[in-house]
Amino acid sequence: MKRPPLWKITRELKRPLQQITQLPSRLGSLLLGRWYYDAVLARKIRCTEGAIPAGPQPAVYLIFPSQGLQDSHFIALRYLIDSGFAPVVVSNIPLGDADRQRLSKVCWLCIERPNFGYDFGGYRDGLLTAHTRLKRIDRLVLLNDSSWFPLPGAGDWLAEAEALNADFAAAACNYGHPRVEAERFRSINWGYSTASRNFQYCSFALMLSGGLMADPNFIKFWKRFPLTNNKKFIVRRGETGLTQWVLAHGFSHGAVLKTADLDQRLAQLPPDEIRQVAEETVIFGRPSLAALKARLLSNGAPAEDYLSFILTAVATQGVSYTLPAYLHAAAGFAFLKKSPCWLTRDGSDITLRFAAGLKGEAGQVFAAEACQLRQSRAPDFPPAPD
């Protein structure tokens, strides 16, 4: 049997010690975090009425404008308004007077809250506020600014999500296939299922039905959500926990982006196109996958190896981060994740090249913001590729 690499052995030896040292602060946060937020921090919430009238289709749009409001925020808000939704903007940082005034023209409510609980803390405030203020909700959307959307040339995600006729509709889903180690990539046998232990619908874009919003137990889920600033816990209890709650309670569900047959759709591509998809696969935080990608592209490989590598990357990282160019071209995927702009140089290069090829005024806005993010968040990277 092949011996595991040293970095992996070291990582596993350190993990128990890290968990033990973090236990007291985690335990206190989990036990008292929601109480502390509701009793103390929530008093600092500022809610501003906007110019858009209330309606039965609220859209909670969570933002974290650390570099100020961007043009892409207003592109997203105009898309929501044009689609018949009343935006509830939730900012996880305080806004200046000028930014607050600009936002008030394109939203129903503008909520400024303490940054506690990450995205799900903001979603919680927006969703519960809409639920309290509205007598009827036909559908409610949860979105955040971790992605640029809607991309030019993509599908209309709101219309496509509504067409699913599901209580819980997402843009995409992750981890429906067990993760595969890079050194075993050729052994992957694609079988995507909602029954997988870590399966989750991605929380960056969700549409909830009126029936789901009317369920007292669903509202109770949000009221009792264990707020904490432990990001891993928020992902587990939020993104994964919300998905598992919906599945366990028998609500209908689905994602606009179909992942179950990804292997079949990729296998239909000519060999040179499969290699191109491999070249445009974004890898982050996975040194072994990055090394595998470099080795395959440097030495050349049969199409089957490229296909297995791509599927291994999707199984390990999730689809929305991993295949931006392919998803846009082949499936009309309307979202482009922002974080690859600064996580790794290769991923940043791929993301910026893709953004530069987007058409129209919105494409120019997204490409310029991508370059700005790279410069500000990864100043050690060389100039962006042409």
Side-chain angles (χ1 to χ4, degrees):
M1 181 181 294
K2 187 176 180 181
R3 193 174 186 178
L6 180 60
W7 66 266
K8 185 178 293 185
I9 297 174
T10 304
R11 181 192 67 186
E12 296 305 317
L13 289 175
K14 286 182 178 179
R15 193 189 305 274
L17 179 61
Q18 290 172 340
Q19 292 174 341
I20 291 172
T21 57
Q22 293 170 359
L23 184 59
S25 61
R26 284 183 179 178
L27 186 60
S29 177
L30 297 180
L31 291 176
L32 302 175
R34 186 185 74 239
W35 175 87
Y36 175 69
Y37 181 81
D38 288 342
V40 179
L41 295 181
R43 297 179 181 180
K44 301 179 181 181
I45 292 175
R46 177 171 182 168
C47 186
T48 304
E49 300 281 343
I52 303 302
Q57 294 192 142
V60 177
Y61 180 38
L62 182 72
I63 64 174
F64 189 79
S66 57
Q67 298 179 323
L69 289 176
Q70 304 293 310
D71 288 343
S72 59
H73 289 127
F74 293 92
I75 290 173
L77 287 166
R78 286 195 294 269
Y79 167 61
L80 292 169
I81 294 167
D82 291 345
S83 299
F85 286 81
V88 179
V89 177
V90 180
S91 178
N92 267 356
I93 58 175
L95 299 169
D97 291 341
D99 282 347
R100 187 181 304 110
Q101 185 175 6
R102 291 177 66 198
L103 281 174
S104 68
K105 297 176 182 178
V106 286
C107 71
W108 163 38
L109 299 172
C110 178
I111 299 172
E112 299 166 67
R113 64 181 299 275
N115 186 19
F116 192 78
Y118 290 97
D119 289 1
F120 269 77
Y123 280 168
R124 178 178 183 263
D125 281 335
L127 181 148
L128 292 178
T129 298
H131 180 263
T132 299
R133 291 200 178 205
L134 296 172
K135 294 181 179 179
R136 185 182 101 237
I137 293 178
D138 292 339
R139 59 181 56 86
L140 180 143
V141 165
L142 298 174
L143 294 158
N144 65 51
D145 67 351
S146 66
S147 302
W148 288 289
F149 73 94
L151 297 185
D156 182 345
W157 177 74
L158 289 170
E160 292 170 344
E162 183 178 347
L164 290 177
N165 196 30
D167 291 307
F168 192 77
C173 56
N174 288 334
Y175 310 131
H177 188 287
R179 299 183 186 187
V180 178
E181 296 292 343
E183 56 267 26
R184 300 183 62 248
F185 77 103
R186 290 191 180 93
S187 69
I188 192 167
N189 183 18
W190 194 251
Y192 209 83
S193 171
T194 60
S196 294
R197 183 169 60 92
N198 296 316
F199 175 80
Q200 60 180 223
Y201 285 109
C202 301
S203 62
F204 64 82
L206 295 169
M207 179 180 286
L208 317 179
S209 73
L212 184 57
M213 286 298 301
D215 188 308
N217 290 319
F218 184 66
I219 300 303
K220 190 180 296 184
F221 169 91
W222 287 98
K223 288 181 176 180
R224 294 181 176 179
F225 187 84
L227 293 179
T228 172
N229 271 346
N230 183 301
K231 191 168 186 177
K232 288 184 178 180
F233 184 85
I234 287 293
V235 171
R236 185 167 67 249
R237 291 295 297 272
E239 201 158 27
T240 305
L242 176 59
T243 297
Q244 296 303 320
W245 189 97
V246 169
L247 269 60
H249 287 77
F251 287 96
S252 58
H253 54 88
V256 169
L257 180 65
K258 307 304 179 188
T259 311
D261 64 347
L262 179 62
D263 59 332
Q264 300 173 36
R265 287 185 281 126
L266 286 170
Q268 293 172 359
L269 297 176
D272 59 329
E273 292 187 22
I274 295 181
R275 178 188 167 93
Q276 182 178 350
V277 175
E279 289 176 350
E280 296 171 343
T281 297
V282 173
I283 304 297
F284 55 93
R286 304 283 176 176
S288 57
L289 270 178
L292 173 61
K293 175 182 175 179
R295 185 171 71 250
L296 291 176
L297 293 175
S298 175
N299 298 336
E304 293 79 6
D305 278 3
Y306 290 129
L307 176 58
S308 295
F309 158 71
I310 295 165
L311 294 174
T312 298
V314 171
T316 303
Q317 300 181 155
V319 68
S320 55
Y321 285 93
T322 305
L323 301 176
Y326 171 77
L327 295 181
H328 182 261
F333 194 57
F335 300 84
L336 175 62
K337 301 298 290 184
K338 295 179 180 179
S339 57
C341 290
W342 66 81
L343 290 176
T344 66
R345 179 182 170 183
D346 182 59
S348 183
D349 287 348
I350 292 168
T351 302
L352 265 63
R353 275 195 296 265
F354 169 68
L358 294 172
K359 305 297 184 183
E361 181 180 350
Q364 294 176 2
V365 167
F366 299 159
E369 291 183 12
C371 290
Q372 181 185 21
L373 278 176
R374 176 178 171 127
Q375 292 168 3
S376 62
R377 300 291 299 272
D380 294 336
F381 288 178
D386 296 329

